[in-house]
Amino acid sequence: MKKITFMVNGTSHAFTGDPEMPLLWYLRDELQLTGTKFGCGQGLCGACTVHLDGEAVRSCITPMKLVAGKKVVTIEGLGASGDHPLQKAWRELEVPQCGYCQSGQLMQAAALLRDTPRPSDREIDEAMAGNLCRCGTYQRIRQGIKRAAGVKS
């Protein structure tokens, strides 16, 4: 089997299993990084969002063969001590309700702020449209993104 090497949260890893295996299973089952959640398994809900070379991707539909030579960042690597501005805003505003989708929400929001440091409501809504929250915390998510960006609500 071909060895796939890549980085996860700054640590080098090598994978020799099925190259079609979803990244999500490697993160959760092999590395025990369980902050990334399984939602729909079809890339539709965003619960499994991680960064791949800085881009937000759905890890449930990203095969291991696509991570070769790349950098993966999970919620555990976003702010190791919970000090990322989004994580702080999330706590201050008590954004999560059940919390299941929140790691994906945070990763998607971090990708948005990297590309658009001071997003408008429309830009936030467009960027976050693919991340579903069954508790309906969308207003608090938008407020959290704005607080982290230093934009008034």
Side-chain angles (χ1 to χ4, degrees), residues 68-111:
K70 297 186 177 177
K71 294 178 183 175
V72 176
V73 176
T74 69
I75 189 67
E76 291 88 350
L78 183 65
S81 58
D83 59 352
H84 188 282
L86 284 164
Q87 293 169 318
K88 290 179 181 175
W90 251 237
R91 283 192 303 273
E92 291 167 4
L93 297 170
E94 299 179 345
V95 171
Q97 190 163 324
C98 86
Y100 193 82
C101 70
Q102 296 300 314
S103 61
Q105 302 280 358
L106 283 161
M107 296 307 288
Q108 187 69 42

Side-chain angles (χ1 to χ4, degrees), residues 86 109-125 127 142 144-153:
L86 284 164
L112 166 65
L113 293 183
R114 185 198 66 241
D115 296 338
T116 309
R118 299 184 61 82
S120 67
D121 285 349
R122 183 183 57 78
E123 290 168 323
I124 292 171
D125 292 347
R142 185 192 292 167
I145 293 169
K146 290 174 113 177
R147 179 168 290 190
V151 176
K152 294 211 180 236
S153 294

